[in-house]
Amino acid sequence: MTWKYQAAIIGGGPAGLQAALTLGRMHVETVVFDDGRYRNASSSVMGNVLGWAGAEPAALRAAAHEELVAYPWVRRVPERVETAREDGSGLVLVTPSAQWSAERLLLASGVDDALLPIPGVRELWGDTVLPCPYCHGHEFAPGPIAVISDGGHAEHVGGLLRGLSSSVPVVAPADVLSVSRSATGVRIDLRDGGAIEAACAFIPPNARVRSGIADDLGIRSAPEGIEIDALGRTSRAGVWAAGDVAKRVDSRIPAAVVTAMASGLTAAADIAASVALVRDGRS
Ligand SMILES: Cc1cc2nc3c(=O)[nH]c(=O)nc-3n(C[C@H](O)[C@H](O)[C@H](O)COP(=O)(O)OP(=O)(O)OC[C@H]3O[C@@H](n4cnc5c(N)ncnc54)[C@H](O)[C@@H]3O)c2cc1C
């Protein structure tokens, strides 16, 4: 069976759900696909999201799902989009259960983190080994707060954290043997036999775009994100990108829940404008 929509969204994280809300409020027939590999899934507490201090990321998504029920134009499909292609009259998306036809597409499909290959990092990721000082640093002050990184990233993140803690040990990944949970939060065992005890440690997330669908559609993408303009438009007409999967104008802009939601809203507003142009014969 083929279902037809004015807009499809791939990704039901903060970017995709905010876009769905905006499109629902503009009565745009929208389908949202999501296979539930949320970037912050390993964190039990969300920080720096106004009004949601200390909440679980899943609580925000659950509230969004409940809110979207008021907009019958929005359908959520908990499935993975496997492929996408153009068929002359629009885009065809294939999921395990059906084929879906959409006039417009928003990619809000997030990124994967290529974590440092240090034993213990994966187990503590999102708990006491973290990517973003804006999201979790404050909760661990006054520290000590460690940084396992080098180069420009270590300088930037270390500088930020020295505003929260007077003790910010910085260690290069090559010098670290392993990390483990400890009474202080995290213990960093070093190759030279030493160890650092800290409340938490920050590492570079090394985010990688999930580009399968973008590649299917021949959309221009860099390792740090799909290229977009100020309205979220990609290099391909009719396809937008938002959230972590979209390249930020400056890498110092945090990849976070609020910035993902903001870009989801921006892209959805432009999608709604495009629907209006076509409806009124102005495009
Ligand atoms: C450990 C950790 C903790 C974090 N903590 C915070 C925090 O406290 N506060 C904060 O503001 N930010 C935090 N962040 C950042 C935040 O999680 C991201 O910026 C935010 O989730 C980005 O939202 P998104 O909608 O772009 O992507 P995501 O939330 O990752 O959602 C993308 C969704 O798209 C789905 N998807 C991908 N491809 C397909 C497909 N082909 N078909 C169907 N579905 C697909 C994925 O499965 C996923 O469900 C944290 C990040 C990490 C790594």
Side-chain angles (χ1 to χ4, degrees), residues 15-99:
L17 290 174
Q18 176 62 55
L21 175 62
T22 304
L23 291 171
R25 293 177 61 79
M26 299 311 292
H27 301 193
V28 174
E29 293 286 350
T30 302
V31 58
V32 187
F33 302 99
D34 186 37
D35 67 355
R37 293 168 293 138
Y38 307 108
R39 189 174 181 204
N40 54 2
S42 63
S43 269
S44 57
V45 176
M46 205 170 48
N48 204 14
V49 182
L50 189 66
W52 288 85
E56 282 186 43
L60 185 140
R61 290 192 296 271
H65 296 167
E66 206 173 303
E67 188 169 347
L68 287 172
V69 171
Y71 303 94
W73 304 273
V74 176
R75 175 173 176 185
R76 290 195 303 112
V77 176
E79 289 185 29
R80 176 172 182 72
V81 176
E82 289 168 341
T83 58
R85 65 174 194 279
E86 180 94 45
D87 81 343
S89 63
L91 295 155
V92 177
L93 308 178
V94 178
T95 70
S97 75
Q99 281 209 150

Side-chain angles (χ1 to χ4, degrees), residues 134-272:
Y134 306 101
C135 304
H136 292 105
H138 166 77
E139 286 70 23
F140 294 94
I145 300 177
V147 178
I148 304 175
S149 184
D150 46 19
H153 178 267
E155 250 176 61
H156 177 61
V157 173
L160 287 170
L161 292 169
R162 278 190 284 279
L164 308 183
S165 173
S166 57
S167 174
V168 182
V170 178
V171 54
D175 295 335
V176 176
L177 196 59
S178 65
V179 299
S180 54
R181 198 181 301 282
S182 73
T184 60
V186 65
R187 177 186 163 95
I188 303 166
D189 281 295
L190 304 174
R191 291 192 184 280
D192 68 5
I196 296 168
E197 288 281 355
C200 68
F202 285 85
I203 65 169
N206 295 329
R208 295 282 177 274
V209 170
R210 291 171 177 156
S211 57
I213 302 292
D215 290 348
D216 283 355
L217 296 172
I219 289 167
R220 203 160 44 236
S221 180
E224 61 276 25
I226 294 171
E227 290 177 22
I228 56 167
D229 69 9
L231 296 170
R233 297 174 184 179
T234 68
S235 60
R236 183 179 186 122
V239 183
W240 287 253
D244 287 2
V245 76
K247 187 173 170 187
R248 282 157 286 146
V249 286
D250 188 309
S251 63
R252 289 167 298 186
I253 297 171
V257 169
V258 171
T259 45
M261 288 168 70
S263 63
L265 186 152
T266 299
D270 195 47
I271 292 171

